[in-house]
Coordinates of all heavy atoms in Angstrom, one line a residue:
I273 N -30.0 -11.6 23.4 CA -30.1 -13.1 23.4 C -31.2 -13.5 24.5 O -31.9 -14.5 24.3 CB -28.8 -13.7 23.8 CG1 -27.8 -13.5 22.7 CG2 -28.9 -15.2 24.2 CD1 -26.4 -14.1 22.9
V274 N -31.3 -12.7 25.5 CA -32.3 -13.1 26.6 C -33.7 -13.1 26.1 O -34.4 -14.1 26.2 CB -32.1 -12.1 27.8 CG1 -33.1 -12.5 28.9 CG2 -30.7 -12.2 28.3
G275 N -34.1 -12.0 25.3 CA -35.4 -12.0 24.8 C -36.5 -12.2 25.8 O -36.5 -11.7 26.9
D276 N -37.4 -13.1 25.4 CA -38.6 -13.4 26.2 C -38.4 -14.8 26.8 O -39.4 -15.5 27.2 CB -39.9 -13.3 25.5 CG -40.1 -11.9 25.0 OD1 -39.8 -11.0 25.7 OD2 -40.7 -11.8 23.9
N277 N -37.2 -15.4 26.7 CA -36.9 -16.7 27.2 C -36.5 -16.7 28.7 O -35.5 -16.3 29.0 CB -35.8 -17.3 26.4 CG -35.6 -18.8 26.6 OD1 -35.7 -19.3 27.7 ND2 -35.4 -19.6 25.5
P278 N -37.4 -17.2 29.6 CA -37.1 -17.1 31.0 C -36.0 -18.0 31.4 O -35.2 -17.6 32.3 CB -38.4 -17.6 31.7 CG -39.1 -18.4 30.6 CD -38.8 -17.7 29.3
Q279 N -35.8 -19.2 30.8 CA -34.7 -20.0 31.1 C -33.4 -19.3 30.7 O -32.4 -19.4 31.5 CB -34.8 -21.4 30.4 CG -35.9 -22.2 30.9 CD -37.2 -21.9 30.2 OE1 -37.3 -21.1 29.3 NE2 -38.3 -22.5 30.7
M280 N -33.3 -18.7 29.6 CA -32.1 -18.0 29.1 C -31.8 -16.8 30.1 O -30.7 -16.6 30.4 CB -32.3 -17.5 27.7 CG -31.0 -16.9 27.1 SD -29.6 -18.0 27.0 CE -30.2 -19.1 25.6
A281 N -32.9 -16.1 30.5 CA -32.7 -15.0 31.4 C -32.1 -15.5 32.7 O -31.2 -14.8 33.3 CB -34.0 -14.3 31.6
E282 N -32.5 -16.6 33.2 CA -32.0 -17.1 34.5 C -30.5 -17.5 34.3 O -29.7 -17.2 35.2 CB -32.8 -18.3 34.9 CG -32.4 -18.9 36.2 CD -33.2 -20.1 36.7 OE1 -34.2 -20.4 35.9 OE2 -32.8 -20.7 37.7
I283 N -30.2 -18.1 33.2 CA -28.8 -18.5 32.9 C -27.9 -17.3 32.9 O -26.8 -17.2 33.5 CB -28.7 -19.3 31.6 CG1 -29.4 -20.7 31.8 CG2 -27.2 -19.5 31.3 CD1 -29.4 -21.5 30.5
I284 N -28.4 -16.3 32.1 CA -27.6 -15.0 32.0 C -27.4 -14.3 33.4 O -26.4 -13.8 33.7 CB -28.3 -14.1 31.0 CG1 -28.3 -14.7 29.6 CG2 -27.5 -12.8 30.9 CD1 -27.0 -15.2 29.1
Q285 N -28.5 -14.4 34.2 CA -28.4 -13.8 35.5 C -27.4 -14.4 36.4 O -26.6 -13.8 37.1 CB -29.8 -13.8 36.2 CG -29.9 -13.0 37.5 CD -29.7 -11.5 37.2 OE1 -30.2 -11.0 36.2 NE2 -29.1 -10.8 38.1
R286 N -27.3 -15.8 36.3 CA -26.3 -16.5 37.0 C -24.9 -16.2 36.6 O -23.9 -16.3 37.3 CB -26.6 -18.0 36.9 CG -27.8 -18.5 37.6 CD -28.0 -20.0 37.4 NE -29.2 -20.4 38.1 CZ -29.7 -21.7 38.0 NH1 -29.0 -22.6 37.4 NH2 -30.8 -22.0 38.7
L287 N -24.7 -15.9 35.3 CA -23.4 -15.5 34.7 C -23.0 -14.1 35.1 O -21.9 -13.7 34.8 CB -23.4 -15.7 33.2 CG -23.5 -17.1 32.7 CD1 -23.7 -17.1 31.2 CD2 -22.3 -17.9 33.1
G288 N -23.9 -13.3 35.7 CA -23.6 -12.0 36.1 C -24.4 -10.9 35.4 O -24.0 -9.7 35.5
G289 N -25.4 -11.3 34.6 CA -26.2 -10.3 33.9 C -25.7 -10.1 32.5 O -24.8 -10.6 32.0
S290 N -26.5 -9.2 31.8 CA -26.2 -9.0 30.4 C -24.9 -8.3 30.1 O -24.2 -8.6 29.1 CB -27.3 -8.1 29.7 OG -27.4 -6.9 30.4
E291 N -24.4 -7.5 31.0 CA -23.1 -6.9 30.9 C -22.0 -7.9 30.8 O -21.1 -7.8 30.1 CB -22.8 -5.8 32.0 CG -23.8 -4.6 31.9 CD -23.6 -3.8 30.6 OE1 -22.5 -3.9 30.0 OE2 -24.5 -3.1 30.2
A292 N -22.1 -8.9 31.7 CA -21.1 -10.0 31.7 C -21.2 -10.8 30.4 O -20.2 -11.2 29.9 CB -21.4 -10.9 32.9
L293 N -22.4 -10.9 29.8 CA -22.5 -11.6 28.5 C -21.8 -10.8 27.4 O -21.1 -11.4 26.6 CB -24.0 -11.7 28.2 CG -24.3 -12.5 26.9 CD1 -23.8 -14.0 27.1 CD2 -25.8 -12.5 26.6
V294 N -21.9 -9.5 27.4 CA -21.2 -8.7 26.5 C -19.6 -8.8 26.7 O -18.9 -9.0 25.7 CB -21.5 -7.2 26.6 CG1 -20.7 -6.3 25.7 CG2 -23.0 -7.0 26.3
D295 N -19.2 -8.9 27.9 CA -17.8 -9.1 28.2 C -17.3 -10.4 27.7 O -16.2 -10.5 27.2 CB -17.5 -9.0 29.7 CG -17.8 -7.6 30.3 OD1 -17.8 -6.6 29.4 OD2 -17.9 -7.4 31.5
N296 N -18.2 -11.5 27.9 CA -17.8 -12.8 27.4 C -17.7 -12.8 25.9 O -16.9 -13.5 25.3 CB -18.8 -13.8 27.9 CG -18.6 -14.1 29.4 OD1 -17.5 -14.0 30.0 ND2 -19.7 -14.5 30.1
F297 N -18.6 -12.1 25.3 CA -18.6 -12.1 23.8 C -17.3 -11.4 23.3 O -16.7 -11.9 22.4 CB -19.8 -11.3 23.3 CG -19.8 -10.9 21.8 CD1 -20.0 -11.9 20.8 CD2 -19.4 -9.6 21.4 CE1 -20.0 -11.6 19.5 CE2 -19.4 -9.3 20.1 CZ -19.6 -10.3 19.1
L298 N -17.0 -10.3 23.9 CA -15.8 -9.6 23.5 C -14.5 -10.4 23.8 O -13.6 -10.4 23.1 CB -15.7 -8.2 24.2 CG -16.8 -7.2 23.8 CD1 -16.6 -5.9 24.6 CD2 -16.6 -6.9 22.3
A299 N -14.6 -11.1 24.9 CA -13.4 -12.0 25.2 C -13.3 -13.1 24.2 O -12.2 -13.5 23.8 CB -13.6 -12.6 26.6
T300 N -14.4 -13.6 23.7 CA -14.3 -14.7 22.7 C -13.8 -14.1 21.4 O -13.0 -14.7 20.7 CB -15.8 -15.2 22.4 OG1 -16.3 -15.8 23.6 CG2 -15.7 -16.3 21.4
V301 N -14.2 -12.9 21.0 CA -13.7 -12.2 19.8 C -12.2 -12.0 20.0 O -11.5 -12.2 19.0 CB -14.5 -10.9 19.6 CG1 -13.8 -10.1 18.5 CG2 -15.9 -11.2 19.3
M302 N -11.8 -11.5 21.1 CA -10.3 -11.3 21.3 C -9.5 -12.6 21.2 O -8.4 -12.6 20.8 CB -10.1 -10.7 22.7 CG -10.6 -9.2 22.9 SD -9.8 -8.1 21.7 CE -11.1 -7.9 20.5
G303 N -10.2 -13.7 21.7 CA -9.5 -15.0 21.5 C -9.3 -15.4 20.1 O -8.2 -15.9 19.7
I304 N -10.3 -15.1 19.2 CA -10.2 -15.3 17.8 C -9.1 -14.4 17.2 O -8.3 -14.8 16.4 CB -11.5 -15.1 17.1 CG1 -12.5 -16.2 17.6 CG2 -11.4 -15.2 15.6 CD1 -13.9 -15.9 17.1
F305 N -9.2 -13.1 17.6 CA -8.1 -12.2 17.1 C -6.7 -12.6 17.5 O -5.8 -12.4 16.8 CB -8.4 -10.8 17.7 CG -9.6 -10.1 17.0 CD1 -10.3 -10.7 16.0 CD2 -9.8 -8.7 17.2 CE1 -11.4 -10.1 15.4 CE2 -10.9 -8.1 16.6 CZ -11.6 -8.7 15.7
G306 N -6.6 -13.2 18.7 CA -5.3 -13.7 19.2 C -4.7 -14.7 18.3 O -3.5 -14.7 18.0
V307 N -5.6 -15.7 17.8 CA -5.1 -16.7 16.9 C -4.6 -16.1 15.6 O -3.6 -16.4 15.1 CB -6.3 -17.7 16.6 CG1 -5.8 -18.7 15.6 CG2 -6.6 -18.4 17.9
I308 N -5.4 -15.1 15.1 CA -5.0 -14.5 13.8 C -3.8 -13.6 14.0 O -2.9 -13.6 13.1 CB -6.2 -13.6 13.3 CG1 -7.4 -14.5 13.0 CG2 -5.8 -12.9 12.0 CD1 -8.7 -13.8 12.6
A309 N -3.7 -13.0 15.2 CA -2.5 -12.1 15.4 C -1.2 -12.9 15.5 O -0.1 -12.4 15.2 CB -2.7 -11.3 16.7
A310 N -1.4 -14.2 15.9 CA -0.2 -15.1 15.9 C 0.5 -15.2 14.5 O 1.7 -15.4 14.4 CB -0.6 -16.5 16.5

Side-chain angles (χ1 to χ4, degrees):
I273 290 179
V274 179
D276 298 325
N277 191 318
Q279 292 83 8
M280 185 65 69
E282 182 180 355
I283 293 174
I284 299 303
Q285 189 65 34
R286 291 178 180 178
L287 290 174
S290 58
E291 292 298 334
L293 185 62
V294 174
D295 292 341
N296 289 331
F297 169 77
L298 293 176
T300 302
V301 172
M302 289 301 104
I304 296 173
F305 282 8
V307 174
I308 300 175

